[in-house]
Each structure stands twice: as structure tokens, then as C-alpha cells.
Amino acid sequence: MSAMIYPTSNFADEHKLCFERAEGVYIYDSNDKKYLEGMSGLWCTALGYGNQELIDAISSQLHTLSFSHLFGGKSHAPAEELAAKLAKMVPVTDAHIFFGNSGSDANDTHYKMLRYYFNAIGKPEKRKIITRQRAYHGVTVAAGSLTSLPVNLTHFDAPLDALHILRTDAPHYYSGHQVGESETQFVDRIIGNLEKLILEEGADTIAAMIVEPITGASGVIVPPEGYYEKLQTLLRKHNILIWADEVITGFGRTGNDFGCTTMGIKPDLMTFAKQLSSAYYPISASVIPGFMYDAMIEQTQANGVFGHGYTYSGHPVACAAALKTLEIFERDNLFEKAAAAGRYLHHKLSTLETHPLVGEVRGEGLLAAIELVANKRKESHFKDAKVGTFAQKACEKHGLIVRAVAGNSLALCPPLIITHEQIDEIFNKLSLALEDTLTFAKQQKLLLP
């Protein structure tokens, strides 16, 4: 038995897929079996594996300044340069950047800074945060409470009431629409539910609403047309800040610089991690607008310090990795290439919509999900995650890494460097796995008439 506690794993499951090496978009296990990494690790290795430029940038920084913190007025060039670079890139007015280590801690940082800001402007009652059903925003205490997936909440006794967390509808038309309801009617209904929630709670008690432009772990939900336009109009009307969690969708994943660009969102706050360094070194960023930063200056003077920060905030090696990653993105036009590759990926996946198991294919750019259903004509879902789990392992058998999310949806999130030929490889292996899964579902009598 291993002495390690594995994250997001079943402790009773003794099967472990142990990886030993990787190169480009391929990863090899301890038996030297080759897999196409269709998930970019965990939605993060945008540049694939073994990128020598990144390795050299990290190595050079380790030789130059292996560590320095940012507490008490200390600083260093990589952090300053990265903050300036990001501030110019993001669609946030007069952006200021706080660095952390993961998407979870970046969202916790935002939670705390919102409290700090509204206290600073004399509105301490404005502290509630709206999140959505099926949201994923991390696993730390505050971020984990903003997450809505049962597996991340059950048994952890998340302090939802103490943290003033509110929940509203997930914008997934396929699984959430009523009989005969059009997409426009669906959007109007869930936006109406949100406005009812705001009015019941009192807009003057709500600080912000957090959204993933397109969700990840909840099944790659792409909201219907008109949803974000109406959502933003409603939130602006009630002076509620818009907080975009771009941990998965940031930096080319959806075919644009940010998911907010793809989905037409003008955020007040933004959260980044994962692809910021192509996962070569842990780093996250919490972006706030200038009006929030300016309002907090006086309080930090009164307190002596802004009492928040991590030992590894703005780690010089992490910042060097992020700077080189952003340089490669820009120099190699990877956002544009990802958009073209994404169009090809979705063209290929769309042909699976006739498969007996496939209820919906969805996504944007190099981010996709295939929802497996028990009866596609009636949009009937499987009662548990058994089929999705089997399908994920079937993909592994054929040399493809995917991830079963939201029960029975297979998520795909390949590196931005993927070629059309490698997308063909994904499609062929996925097709074989779906046939294996269909046979399994029939044998287990899991399909519904």
C-alpha cells in the first residue's frame, strides 16, 4: 500500500496508472505504453511536455535567483514583469495582480479581497457570493464552498452559510430545459430565477457572482446564446461584480486569449492558473480592477500591511516559467492555431452525434465534452457514473487519456500544440472506445428503451 493520499481518488481503488515520461502530446506509463494526452494533464499543459525553451527558462532562473519572496516590500524582476504583462493583456480596467500557487488559492484570495474591499468602502454587509449549480472553483475552504459538485462537498461540511454562498441555475440547456422550452425561453427562465434570488437576498448584500465562461469539471457547459448578455445586464443593474474564473479557459483554450473574449464577458475580477505556465511550475493570478486596489490602500496603511500572502506568491521561477509561456503563445500565434485546431476537433466530434450513446457534443476551441446517455431520443441519463468510468478506461486501453466528468461526459482538452493528424488519432481511438462502451452498456442492460 502506498503511503501517499491521492487527490480526487477512491482510496479503495488499488489500480494506479503510473506515468514515467512524456514528450510533446504523448505520455508513457511504467510499462512504456504510449498514450495521447487528450486532457493536457488536468486542463493545463498547453505547450505539451518537454518544451526545451521552458525548461531552459526555469533552469536559468534557478541559477540566477532560485527563490525570493514578495513580503514587506521585497520584489524581483520576474514578478514585476509578469504582473505588467498580464495587466496589459486582461480586459480589466487598471488591473492589479496578486500571485499565488493554484486556482483554488487564487479564488480564496479573491474571496478575501472582496471582503477587504467592501469593508474599505463602508459596505461590510455586501459579502454574499453567487455561484452556480455544477460549478467548480477549487477545493480550499472558500473556493471549495463556491464549488457545487456533490463529490467536492459531501462529508466535508463546507461552511456555506458562514461564507454566505448563494447558488443559482447551471446554464446547461441540454440537461436543464423543460419540455418544449426553447433556448431563449430557458435563458429567460434561469435569469428570472437569478433576479428573484437577488431581490430576495437584497442586492446590497451581494458582492459578486463567480462564473466559469465555459465550465470544466462539471461537463464543459457552454451557455446558450444570450445568456451572458442578459446575465451581465442584470448584475450591472444591481451593482454586483462579475468574477470570471478563467483557470481552465484562459490563454487560448477556447480559441481566443480568454474565455471571456469567446463568450462576450466584461469581467471585474479574473482568476488564472494552469495554462499560465503550461503547468511547468505552479502559479496562479488573481486580477482585480484599479478601483478595488485604490480603495484598499488606506486600510493597508491603517493596518500596517495587507495581511494576506503566501510564501510562494510570485515565486521567481514560476514567474519566469509564465513569462516564457506567454512569450511562446504570442510568438507562435498559438491562440489562432488553437482556434483552427478546435474547429477541426469539433468537426470530427460532431460526426459522433449519430452514435447510440452520444446525447450531446459541446465545447469551444480545444475544449470539448461528449455526453453519454441511456436513450438519446428521450435524452435519458444513466442513473450512475458506471458508463462514463468504463468509457474513460476504454479510452486508456486504446491509448488515449480523457476524463469522465459530471458522471458520464467524456472531456477532451488536448495541448494547444496538437496537430490535425493527432486530432485524427484522438477521434479514431475515441471511436473504438465508444464501441467498447456500447457493448458494455448492452451487456449490463443499462440502455433504456
Side-chain angles (χ1 to χ4, degrees):
M1 294 293 291
S2 172
M4 181 163 58
I5 298 175
Y6 288 87
T8 312
S9 297
N10 186 333
F11 287 4
D13 185 0
E14 295 183 4
H15 171 74
K16 299 291 185 294
L17 185 57
C18 184
F19 294 118
E20 288 201 348
R21 62 188 179 90
E23 182 178 3
V25 301
Y26 296 100
I27 192 165
Y28 300 79
D29 68 15
S30 53
N31 295 314
D32 210 36
K33 181 177 177 178
K34 180 181 179 181
Y35 304 82
L36 197 156
E37 176 49 277
M39 275 302 298
S40 295
L42 277 175
W43 328 83
C44 52
T45 55
L47 297 177
Y49 296 95
N51 184 291
Q52 194 60 50
E53 285 187 89
L54 263 175
I55 293 168
D56 290 345
I58 290 168
S59 178
S60 175
Q61 187 59 51
L62 282 168
H63 283 290
T64 305
L65 180 66
S66 58
F67 173 72
S68 183
H69 64 82
L70 299 177
F71 283 39
K74 306 292 192 302
S75 191
H76 53 75
E80 297 284 356
E81 291 173 16
L82 181 58
K85 176 74 173 176
L86 287 174
K88 289 181 179 179
M89 289 181 69
V90 297
V92 174
T93 304
D94 189 21
H96 286 68
I97 321 292
F98 181 92
F99 292 119
N101 313 296
S102 74
S104 293
D105 74 44
N107 279 331
D108 264 33
T109 291
H110 270 317
Y111 182 92
K112 292 179 70 176
M113 287 199 291
L114 283 166
R115 289 288 184 91
Y116 205 93
Y117 165 69
F118 282 110
N119 282 329
I121 64 172
K123 295 183 178 180
E125 71 285 354
K126 204 167 173 66
R127 58 180 52 226
K128 296 173 185 174
I129 307 293
I130 302 172
T131 186
R132 299 185 296 201
Q133 297 294 342
R134 294 181 64 175
Y136 182 87
H137 298 295
V139 294
T140 46
V141 174
S145 298
L146 292 167
T147 291
S148 300
L149 304 181
V151 70
N152 299 113
L153 293 173
T154 305
H155 305 307
F156 288 108
D157 296 337
L160 304 181
D161 292 336
L163 292 174
H164 302 283
I165 307 297
L166 307 175
R167 279 181 166 76
T168 192
D169 300 277
H172 189 204
Y173 174 76
Y174 181 77
S175 64
H177 74 277
Q178 297 174 351
V179 176
E181 190 174 47
S182 69
E183 287 195 359
T184 299
Q185 290 168 331
F186 168 74
V187 168
D188 288 342
R189 176 169 59 83
I190 66 173
I191 292 295
N193 290 343
L194 174 58
E195 181 158 35
K196 181 180 178 183
L197 174 68
I198 291 169
L199 294 175
E200 288 176 348
E201 295 288 336
D204 58 349
T205 69
I206 302 173
M209 180 171 176
I210 183 170
V211 299
E212 302 159 89
I214 297 172
T215 74
S218 67
V220 189
I221 297 172
V222 183
E225 186 176 349
Y227 171 78
Y228 277 122
E229 179 182 357
K230 293 176 181 179
L231 178 76
Q232 291 178 94
T233 297
L234 177 63
L235 297 179
R236 297 295 184 213
K237 171 184 173 183
H238 292 288
N239 295 313
I240 296 170
L241 298 179
I242 299 168
W243 171 3
D245 182 339
E246 292 253 19
V247 170
I248 287 176
T249 56
F251 307 107
R253 177 52 58 191
T254 65
N256 287 296
D257 49 2
F258 306 116
C260 283
T261 304
T262 299
M263 301 308 295
I265 303 169
K266 181 63 173 74
D268 297 297
L269 303 90
M270 302 180 80
T271 309
F272 298 113
K274 294 190 184 293
Q275 294 197 157
L276 176 56
S277 67
S278 189
Y280 278 54
Y281 224 88
I283 187 170
S284 65
S286 306
V287 182
I288 63 171
F291 68 79
M292 280 184 64
Y293 180 83
D294 292 343
M296 296 191 290
I297 293 173
E298 186 176 340
Q299 285 203 157
T300 65
Q301 288 178 319
N303 292 342
V305 296
F306 174 61
H308 177 70
Y310 309 110
T311 300
Y312 303 123
S313 288
H315 193 294
V317 183
C319 291
L323 282 166
K324 179 56 70 173
T325 300
L326 296 179
E327 177 189 323
I328 295 170
F329 285 159
E330 184 175 7
R331 184 197 67 206
D332 295 350
N333 298 314
L334 278 182
F335 299 166
E336 294 86 349
K337 290 179 180 178
R343 287 190 292 272
Y344 185 68
L345 173 66
H346 286 280
H347 165 71
K348 297 290 288 188
L349 294 180
S350 68
T351 66
L352 296 174
E353 291 178 335
T354 59
H355 191 280
L357 281 178
V358 177
E360 183 182 41
V361 176
R362 54 185 179 264
E364 286 284 344
L366 287 173
L367 183 62
I370 301 155
E371 184 152 348
L372 307 181
V373 293
N375 184 315
K376 65 186 300 166
R377 288 182 295 103
K378 298 180 180 178
E379 300 178 358
S380 300
H381 299 277
F382 291 105
K383 65 178 181 179
D384 56 32
K386 189 183 299 182
V387 170
T389 300
F390 181 92
Q392 176 180 309
K393 291 182 178 180
C395 286
E396 291 171 6
K397 182 184 78 171
H398 291 290
L400 172 65
I401 301 296
V402 301
R403 188 179 179 195
V405 293
N408 297 292
S409 292
L410 297 181
L412 284 165
C413 182
L416 302 189
I417 61 170
I418 197 160
T419 65
H420 284 205
E421 291 75 19
Q422 290 162 343
I423 290 173
D424 288 339
E425 185 180 343
I426 288 177
F427 177 79
N428 293 336
K429 292 179 175 182
L430 180 61
S431 297
L432 292 172
L434 284 176
E435 289 308 306
D436 292 347
T437 306
L438 179 59
T439 299
F440 167 78
K442 288 178 177 177
Q443 289 173 343
Q444 299 292 313
K445 295 180 171 53
L446 299 174
L447 300 179
L448 298 177

